[in-house]
C-alpha cells in the first residue's frame, strides 16, 4: 500500500518540483519513511508529520532525522495557510477546514480508507455476522476527487503479530477472551487487506485568503 501511495504522489508531482508533505496522524512516522524510500526524487520532498501521541512523535523523530515532527491536534494544525503541497491522511481523523487552510491552491489530499474486505478473516473471529465496508472514496467537504485506486493483498501474520494487529483496530473492543484465544491458537491464517486511495483537491474558491 505504501508503494501505491508513493506512485500516486509521483504521478502528481512535477519534475524538479520541491514540495512539502504532511503525514496527518503519523504515529511513529512509518509512511514518511516509506515515502522517502519509494518516491522518486524524494530529496525534493520536505517531510512533516504530526500526531497527538508524544511518545510516537519522539520515536518518529529518532528514526528520520531529516523530517520535521510535531505534537499537535488535527483540529488546530500549527502551520501557516497554504503551507503544504500534499497532505497524507491514512486512517486518521481530521478537520476539513484545517485541511483546506494548510493546503495550497494546487495541493492534493491523499486519503487511505478501508475497502469492503479489509481484515475480513480477523473480523470473522470477533463478529457472528461479518459485513463489508461500503466501497466509497471519502472526500471531505470542500474537496473534489481527482482519482481513486483500490489496493488489495493478503498478509500472513504470526500469532503475536495477529494480536498486535487486533489491538490496532477499533473492533478490538468487541473481541472477548474466547475470540482472542482462538485467534492466537490458529496455526496459519491469511488475512485480507483492502484499501481505497483517494486523491482530491480543493474546489474552486476555497483557497485560504
Amino acid at each position: 500500500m505504501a508503494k501505491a501511495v508513493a506512485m500516486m504522489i509521483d504521478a502528481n508531482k512535477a519534475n524538479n518540483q520541491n514540495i512539502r508533505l504532511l503525514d496527518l496522524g503519523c504515529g511513529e512516522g512509518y509512511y514518511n519513511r516509506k515515502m522517502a524510500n519509494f518516491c522518486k526524487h524524494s530529496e525534493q520532498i520536505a517531510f512533516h508529520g504530526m500526531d497527538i501521541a508524544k511518545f510516537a512523535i519522539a520515536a518518529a523523530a529518532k528514526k528520520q532525522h531529516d523530517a520535521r515532527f510535531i505534537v499537535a491536534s488535527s483540529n488546530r494544525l500549527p502551520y501557516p495557510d497554504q503551507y503544504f503541497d500534499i497532505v497524507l491522511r491514512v486512517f486518521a481523523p481530521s478537520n476539513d477546514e484545517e485541511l483546506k487552510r494548510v493546503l495550497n491552491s494546487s495541493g492534493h489530499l491523499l486519503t487511505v480508507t478501508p475497502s469492503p474486505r479489509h481484515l475480513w478473516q480477523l473480523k470473522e473471529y470477533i463478529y457472528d455476522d461479518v459485513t463489508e465496508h461500503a466501497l466509497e472514496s471519502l472526500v471531505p467537504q470542500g474537496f473534489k476527487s481527482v482519482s481513486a485506486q483500490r489496493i488489495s493483498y493478503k498478509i500472513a501474520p504470526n500469532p503475536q503479530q495477529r494480536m498486535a494487529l487486533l489491538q490496532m483496530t477499533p473492533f478490538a473492543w468487541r473481541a472477548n477472551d474466547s475470540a482472542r484465544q482462538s485467534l492466537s491458537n490458529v496455526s496459519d491464517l491469511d488475512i485480507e487487506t483492502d484499501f481505497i486511495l483517494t486523491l482530491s483537491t480543493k474546489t474552486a474558491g476555497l483557497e485560504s485568503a
Side-chain angles (χ1 to χ4, degrees):
M1 192 269 281
K3 290 181 180 178
V5 170
M7 290 176 65
M8 193 170 280
I9 291 173
D10 286 340
N12 289 275
K13 176 183 174 297
N15 291 332
N16 302 317
Q17 178 189 14
N18 293 317
I19 65 172
R20 297 189 185 104
L21 181 151
L22 172 64
D23 183 3
L24 198 69
C26 67
E28 296 182 358
Y30 174 85
Y31 290 105
N32 265 338
R33 294 194 299 277
K34 288 300 181 182
M35 295 308 102
N37 289 333
F38 293 148
C39 284
K40 298 177 181 178
H41 307 295
S42 62
E43 72 279 359
Q44 297 174 343
I45 303 176
F47 293 99
H48 296 253
M50 57 76 51
D51 201 291
I52 60 172
K54 295 180 181 179
F55 292 111
I57 288 295
K62 289 179 180 179
K63 294 176 181 178
Q64 192 174 10
H65 298 290
D66 57 349
R68 297 181 180 181
F69 296 97
I70 191 168
V71 178
S73 167
S74 59
N75 288 317
R76 191 174 181 181
L77 298 174
Y79 303 103
D81 294 351
Q82 302 192 52
Y83 189 70
F84 290 104
D85 301 277
I86 299 174
V87 172
L88 176 61
R89 184 180 62 169
V90 182
F91 288 73
S94 62
N95 179 292
D96 294 354
E97 293 302 318
E98 282 291 87
L99 290 176
K100 289 184 288 188
R101 183 183 67 79
V102 300
L103 270 171
N104 62 38
S105 58
S106 59
H108 291 88
L109 172 65
L110 207 172
T111 301
V112 180
T113 50
S115 277
R117 299 281 302 183
H118 188 56
L119 303 183
W120 185 268
Q121 291 75 18
L122 194 64
K123 292 165 67 176
E124 286 182 319
Y125 281 83
I126 300 167
Y127 299 101
D128 294 329
D129 183 19
V130 184
T131 58
E132 293 187 346
H133 293 284
L135 180 58
E136 58 181 350
S137 56
L138 298 181
V139 179
Q141 184 177 3
F143 286 79
K144 62 180 179 180
S145 176
V146 175
S147 62
Q149 181 181 7
R150 185 175 178 180
I151 301 293
S152 303
Y153 53 92
K154 290 185 177 181
I155 57 175
N158 63 38
Q160 284 186 322
Q161 292 169 335
R162 277 180 231 138
M163 302 313 293
L165 177 60
L166 174 63
Q167 289 305 117
M168 294 172 61
T169 68
F171 43 84
W173 299 101
R174 299 290 301 275
N176 57 33
D177 291 340
S178 176
R180 290 174 182 272
Q181 191 66 41
S182 297
L183 184 61
S184 179
N185 288 344
V186 65
S187 58
D188 296 302
L189 181 64
D190 288 341
I191 299 175
E192 295 175 72
T193 62
D194 195 12
F195 308 97
I196 185 164
L197 283 59
T198 305
L199 190 72
S200 57
T201 60
K202 292 191 288 189
T203 53
L206 288 173
E207 293 82 0
S208 299

